[in-house]
Amino acid sequence: MFMGRSDVIVERPGTREPQGRYQADPLRGMEEGMKDRQNSFNVLPPEMILQILNVLDLKSLLAMKETCKRLHQLLEDNDWLWRRHCLQLKAVCPTEIDEDRKKGHKWQETGRLNYKKCIMKQKWKAGMFSNIDSYEKLPPHTMYPLSVESWGEILDAELSR
């Protein structure tokens, strides 16, 4: 647990020269700390942020898009970030991905529309809902509109158990 004050040396950006000394006070309030973090983020060039975003999974990308205007715009303008994830989803839900692409959806929209569908399809195929005997007993958010082919795969998996 952190108690009391501590001395912190601040370096000038791009140098190792001390810019000054200030007392870090944990009681100064969250707002000042948040301003510092936001300012640090804002100095990063878009290319660097895109490289960071490129290593995130689809769920994280979807969450990052909702955090601030700058990330939202970067993710809107760079559809290539979403392509890799959609191709991974296509291994699970090929019909759904192909249909959305034929409808003219961008990769980002295709990923957003199919992320939860593909996760649920995998859970259905793995037998997570095999022992449920009525619709009312299904956990919430387990039914998504899937293609006939996807439901056929799920049925085949159920019948083989």
Side-chain angles (χ1 to χ4, degrees), residues 42-53 70 74 78:
N42 286 333
V43 299
L44 290 175
E47 298 82 13
M48 186 177 289
I49 295 170
L50 288 171
Q51 289 304 316
I52 293 167
L53 294 172
R70 185 172 187 210
L74 276 171
N78 294 283

Side-chain angles (χ1 to χ4, degrees), residues 31-49:
E31 288 180 21
E32 287 183 42
M34 290 303 292
K35 264 194 244 177
D36 291 342
R37 281 191 216 129
Q38 288 171 349
N39 291 339
S40 298
F41 177 76
N42 286 333
V43 299
L44 290 175
E47 298 82 13
M48 186 177 289
I49 295 170

